[in-house]
Amino acid sequence: MKHLNLSEIHYGKEEKRENPLFFSILENWDRNGLDLYSDGYLDILLIRGGKAVIRGDIKNISSVASFLKDKEWSSIAGSRENIKAISQNIPGVSEENRHLMLLTRETFRKTDRNEKLKVLRTERDFIDLFRLYRNIPEMKEGFGKRNDEDNTERFLSSPFPFTAVGLYEDDKLVSGAYLGRVTRKTAFVVGVATDIRYRGRGYAKAVVSELADISLNENMMESLMLWYSSDKAGDIYRALGFEDIEDIVYARRVNNEVCQSPDR
């Protein structure tokens, strides 16, 4: 694999449509935080902090697997075909189909604003959000109570245009979401969650709509992305104007092995 000089890289429009996740990061991230490698068929984008994104076709899986084993990364995203090939050569990879969606200002369909919504700005707000996440089985691991201080500091110090939104019932935060992986023009909607006792009321849709409205129309982001895995969630996001752009596999490395996990 050859290390490429990012300032000399140029891709065509057709290539950019092939993998918008890859190109959104490549074009908008701080170039000092990226390293790009290629063997002429496959491009591997390494993001400092432990993430990797791949695009193209694997022609020599042995060399690709050898390259990845020698690099420091904690998660990797790519097409099902690419991750399937890698899974056969790097122990611990189990495939899980994830769907990637894209929302732009042109496709966004805002819902009527729920008056119970609130933009989260204070330490108390974020502790409320973390308390909600601790009640969601698949999210509680990363938001243990002992981590509240560190997580609050991380959220409060996140660079513009970081945004978090919550929806309250009787002074209790019951649904929320926030932006993650912010680049100059594109961000991910992550942490979408609703207390199980309050589901089925359209709260998640209201939260994501508010988050999108602030991000696209006030902070002037060009687009938002998110991952989903259930048909029900996909329907909610499509109603807001999110469009399916690619089936993606997202793998996370744990204890020097890789296991499938959703992006958060």
Side-chain angles (χ1 to χ4, degrees):
M1 302 292 291
K2 179 182 178 182
H3 185 253
L4 303 181
N5 185 334
L6 291 172
S7 65
E8 299 175 356
I9 300 301
H10 300 283
Y11 291 95
K13 293 182 179 179
E14 290 300 321
E15 291 175 297
K16 292 182 180 182
R17 280 194 285 267
E18 170 216 332
N19 192 327
L21 171 62
F22 179 93
F23 289 105
S24 172
I25 295 172
L26 181 64
E27 293 181 349
N28 299 314
W29 210 280
D30 180 355
R31 291 300 178 95
N32 292 323
L34 300 176
D35 282 307
L36 183 63
Y37 297 83
S38 178
D39 65 2
Y41 300 98
L42 183 79
D43 294 340
I44 300 177
L45 186 64
L46 296 179
I47 308 164
R48 284 170 206 166
K51 296 179 173 62
V53 183
I54 59 178
R55 65 164 291 276
D57 299 315
I58 294 178
K59 300 296 185 182
N60 187 335
I61 183 57
S62 296
S63 64
V64 171
S66 177
F67 172 83
L68 287 172
K69 287 176 182 177
D70 292 337
K71 295 296 181 181
E72 294 184 3
W73 54 275
S74 58
S75 64
I76 187 167
S79 69
R80 170 181 285 277
E81 292 75 15
N82 283 334
I83 298 302
K84 182 177 180 180
I86 290 171
S87 70
Q88 296 171 352
N89 289 266
I90 301 179
V93 176
S94 57
E95 295 181 28
E96 179 180 338
N97 196 30
R98 291 279 158 183
H99 302 277
L100 188 63
M101 304 188 91
L102 176 73
L103 180 72
T104 65
R105 198 173 300 116
E106 292 72 28
T107 64
F108 177 42
R109 295 190 290 272
K110 181 181 177 181
T111 64
D112 292 335
R113 189 179 189 279
N114 190 313
E115 295 181 355
K116 301 174 183 177
L117 288 165
K118 175 183 177 181
V119 177
L120 308 181
R121 294 189 174 93
T122 69
E123 179 179 351
R124 180 72 261 168
D125 291 339
F126 289 118
I127 289 176
D128 286 344
L129 182 65
F130 305 151
R131 184 181 294 116
L132 167 66
Y133 289 161
R134 283 196 285 273
N135 290 326
I136 309 296
E138 60 270 28
M139 300 182 72
K140 64 181 181 181
E141 181 179 346
F143 292 94
K145 189 173 183 179
R146 66 181 182 279
N147 298 322
D148 276 357
E149 184 175 339
D150 289 342
N151 283 329
T152 298
E153 175 61 26
R154 176 167 60 89
F155 277 54
L156 288 173
S157 62
S158 294
F160 177 86
F162 175 82
T163 307
V165 171
L167 190 149
Y168 285 78
E169 280 275 15
D170 300 323
D171 296 324
K172 177 183 178 181
L173 194 152
V174 298
S175 187
Y178 61 94
L179 291 188
R181 284 183 172 185
V182 177
T183 69
R184 290 191 295 272
K185 298 179 182 178
T186 303
F188 269 84
V189 177
V190 292
V192 182
T194 301
D195 187 304
I196 191 170
R197 293 166 292 183
Y198 295 86
R199 293 178 182 176
R201 305 184 188 186
Y203 288 173
K205 183 177 181 180
V207 165
V208 175
S209 177
E210 181 77 356
L211 193 59
D213 188 35
I214 293 171
S215 302
L216 298 173
N217 296 324
E218 294 183 23
N219 294 339
M220 303 306 291
M221 303 293 289
E222 289 188 358
S223 61
L224 299 178
M225 292 185 188
L226 57 74
W227 306 86
Y228 78 96
S229 57
S230 72
D231 291 339
K232 184 176 181 180
D235 290 341
I236 291 173
Y237 301 136
R238 288 188 196 94
L240 293 172
F242 281 89
E243 298 178 343
D244 293 274
I245 55 175
E246 189 174 1
D247 282 347
I248 214 93
V249 171
Y250 189 92
R252 193 180 299 275
R253 175 182 266 173
V254 179
N255 296 328
N256 294 322
E257 289 193 342
V258 181
C259 63
Q260 288 304 114
S261 167
D263 192 25
R264 292 183 186 174

